[in-house]
Amino acid sequence: MQDSIRVSSALISVFDKKGLDPIVEKLYQLGVTIYSTGGTADYIDSLGVEVIRVESITDYPSILGGRVKTLHPKVFGGILNRRNHTSDQEELSTYEIPSIDLVIVDLYPFEETVAGGGTEQEIIEKIDIGGIALIRAAAKNHADVVCVASKSEYKLLSSLLSDQNGAFTLEQRKYFAKHSFNVSSHYDSAIFNYFDNGSSSLKLSIQKGHQLRYGENPHQEGYFFGDLEQLFDKLNGKELSYNNLLDIDAALNLMEAHEETDPTFAILKHNNACGLATRNTLSDAYDAALAVDPISAFGGILIANRPIDIETARQIHDLFCEVVIAPSFDEKALTLLKNKKNRILLAQKTNTHTVKLVRSCLNGYLVQEKDQVIDHEQMLQTATATKPSADQVEDMLFASNICKNTKSNTIVLAKGLQLLASGTGQTSRVDALKQAIKKAETFGFDLDGAVMASDAFFPFPDCVEIAHKAGIKAVIQPGGSIKDQQSIDYCNANQMIMVMTGVRHFKH
């Protein structure tokens, strides 16, 4: 296997011609023989560069409406022949097959056609056959061939052609081969996922990714694969960390239920809400959210469902926080908040989330649909003799949404569209309730008239008994326990209200 080879011939077959000009010019200057097909050949010819059409060496024209152009032994023999095998070279001579040292391919835009809402026939026609075959052949034979499989590598290719006078080291050819197989495997995964309808196969392929400063802790490596620019405009601040990203994901999930509500502000810490409130103005919502737990808010993630105005920005500026997320920032608000150079400011473009959740487990992966149910009034079944008022219904749904987005076991207490306290991640529901009551009392909240939400059913009536003694008047829960009636009976005996949603919201 040669360490360095010099390119003397190239096959170019691309869908998108953008960025091709300087490469073609450089190949021409180096005296490289260029082969091409169809529209690519026409384009190269328009540049005034000599090009040999593939049809002239295969003696076959492009057929079947362009579906078959390069699929021919004289093309693939030219790519796959081993330069150090005498028998291969003899066969090339016998069958008059030209050797090809460089293959440049840009595949049909399958994913873009799907994303653009193309018809089924348009999508099928964008499944590249010849291009994928060329990539695999050239990358496989990287010992003797350079394979460039996407426009993202044009800049590097052009630089190497200029700096090395058309020569490529084995290390460089392996790099291009690795990238080429990444392109082809991603392309095939996208096609499979288009046809797949919830099968038992899992194929994930994400091209955009970068290494984070570290993982959950400084001694762990961390990476993010995805396109954050699709979701946000980053207006200020340091690089997002692994923990920042987890908190931001939790914040967006929490705020989904408030996209159409009055001004709402949330503060999160370690993926859980430590403050949330809805008010007539955003600044009032921030004040109420911060009051829930001003200690935990330190170093938290802030999110609003309305643009950040200067009044709210002044309040935020007094708090040390990692990230602020909002649909937008008023000019004066942005200027003020950018005074702290490390504070991350994200203008949210969309709340589009993946609908499939994947996490590693044991020696494999767990996959599930995202919990997209947002509890609403039509779901509620009143289980007690006393029915809730409109304000109580509003508070219960407000609290239930927080439950859905809080680590189980959880109990959430709320009143007047303000989170009062929550018990999070406890091994028993009773402990979660006791934690919430204690926390609410610590920060001076009066629980008289408050509502309680639970992420799952009450196996015993103990929680409603404790809640009643604390002053809580209404309870929302999924129901489904064989002992539901005991909790209902206690509520009826003590003029409490209980409604059931029929939907559990565990979060582990």
Side-chain angles (χ1 to χ4, degrees), residues 9 19 21 33 162 209 291 294 315 367 374 376 380 413 427 432 445 476 478:
S9 59
D21 301 33
T33 301
S162 297
Q315 295 163 289
V367 181
I374 297 175
H376 53 84
L380 305 183
L413 308 180
T427 52
F445 288 106
I476 183 171

Side-chain angles (χ1 to χ4, degrees), residues 15-177:
F15 178 84
D16 186 357
K17 316 304 185 290
K18 185 178 180 180
L20 198 59
D21 301 33
I23 293 172
V24 171
E25 293 291 345
K26 181 57 64 176
L27 293 173
Y28 174 71
Q29 292 168 13
L30 291 170
V32 174
T33 301
I34 299 176
Y35 300 92
S36 191
T37 63
T40 307
D42 292 339
Y43 183 79
I44 294 172
D45 190 55
S46 74
L47 298 176
V49 174
E50 183 179 354
V51 57
I52 299 174
R53 294 181 180 268
V54 167
E55 299 95 300
S56 68
I57 61 172
T58 64
D59 292 326
Y60 270 92
S62 173
I63 62 173
L64 307 181
R67 283 189 166 198
V68 180
K69 293 192 283 283
T70 57
L71 296 170
H72 194 281
K74 283 196 171 183
V75 174
F76 283 86
I79 296 169
L80 286 165
N81 74 89
R82 292 158 292 188
R83 276 55 166 180
N84 61 352
H85 279 223
T86 302
S87 60
D88 283 10
Q89 298 310 306
E90 289 175 349
E91 288 187 63
L92 257 64
S93 177
T94 299
Y95 296 107
E96 298 180 337
I97 299 174
S99 196
I100 297 171
D101 307 318
L102 168 64
V103 173
I104 302 174
V105 176
D106 175 59
L107 296 170
Y108 290 166
F110 177 82
E111 286 183 282
E112 293 83 350
T113 305
V114 173
T119 65
E120 182 176 5
Q121 187 57 39
E122 288 170 338
I123 290 168
I124 296 302
E125 289 305 317
K126 288 301 185 291
I127 297 176
D128 205 313
I129 304 300
I132 281 287
L134 290 172
I135 290 171
R136 290 181 64 83
K140 174 180 179 176
N141 201 26
H142 63 269
D144 298 301
V145 179
V146 180
C147 183
V148 177
S150 76
K151 298 190 295 294
S152 65
E153 298 298 318
Y154 285 2
K155 183 177 180 181
L156 176 60
L157 172 63
S158 183
S159 175
L160 291 174
L161 286 170
S162 297
D163 295 345
Q164 299 174 180
N165 200 35
F168 293 84
T169 66
L170 178 59
E171 182 181 359
Q172 290 163 351
R173 300 195 301 277
K174 282 186 174 181
Y175 165 83
F176 281 115

Side-chain angles (χ1 to χ4, degrees), residues 367-395:
V367 181
Q368 68 169 345
E369 293 179 357
K370 179 185 173 183
D371 182 357
Q372 298 185 79
V373 175
I374 297 175
D375 294 345
H376 53 84
E377 188 171 356
Q378 288 70 33
M379 296 170 58
L380 305 183
Q381 297 292 325
T382 303
T384 51
T386 306
K387 298 185 183 301
S389 67
D391 287 346
Q392 287 173 321
V393 168
E394 200 171 27
D395 276 348

Side-chain angles (χ1 to χ4, degrees), residues 410-475:
T410 184
I411 293 288
V412 170
L413 308 180
K415 184 168 67 172
L417 298 180
Q418 180 186 28
L419 169 65
L420 302 184
S422 59
T424 64
Q426 298 302 302
T427 52
S428 84
R429 208 156 298 284
V430 170
D431 286 344
L433 175 56
K434 288 180 177 178
Q435 182 190 52
I437 292 172
K438 177 67 175 175
K439 194 165 190 178
E441 291 173 346
T442 298
F443 290 105
F445 288 106
D446 180 7
L447 293 177
D448 186 48
V451 305
M452 173 174 74
S454 175
D455 59 338
F457 65 64
F458 298 113
F460 304 102
D462 44 9
C463 279
V464 291
E465 293 177 22
I466 296 169
H468 173 249
K469 291 174 184 176
I472 292 162
K473 295 295 189 289
V475 179

